[in-house]
Amino acid sequence: RTSFGIGGSLEGDYAVDNTLALTLNAGYIKFLQKNNNGLKLGVIPVLAGIKYYFTPSVGVYAEIGYDKSSLCQAGLAFKLQ
């Protein structure tokens, strides 16, 4: 079981108007193994969302997404659906 991951993501916003924006976020997370079983887990999350601004500096947002996972051990790769 893994408990720590390292990764990064990119997010883009499309302003619909001054108070509303649509977002798209994608990245990669590699989970570091906790024990020495040789398994490596990677996840590619893709999220879409909406942001609403009450004022120029205060707002809320919500995202929904999907992730693609892969599990690798000693050169073999398995895709988790």
Side-chain angles (χ1 to χ4, degrees):
R1 184 171 174 217
T2 60
S3 62
F4 184 76
I6 236 176
S9 67
L10 293 174
E11 181 174 325
D13 291 359
Y14 173 75
V16 177
D17 61 28
N18 288 341
T19 61
L20 191 64
L22 302 176
T23 67
L24 184 62
N25 184 327
Y28 180 76
I29 303 168
K30 180 178 180 177
F31 289 94
L32 306 175
Q33 57 199 39
K34 195 171 188 179
N35 54 29
N36 216 2
N37 62 6
L39 294 175
K40 297 177 184 176
L41 176 65
V43 179
I44 300 171
V46 178
L47 300 125
I50 188 166
K51 292 182 181 180
Y52 179 77
Y53 295 96
F54 301 108
T55 70
S57 59
V58 176
V60 295
Y61 73 95
E63 290 181 312
I64 190 166
Y66 172 79
D67 67 68
K68 188 71 172 172
S69 302
S70 66
L71 187 62
C72 299
Q73 180 179 18
L76 300 174
F78 303 93
K79 292 184 179 177
L80 307 176
Q81 302 286 334

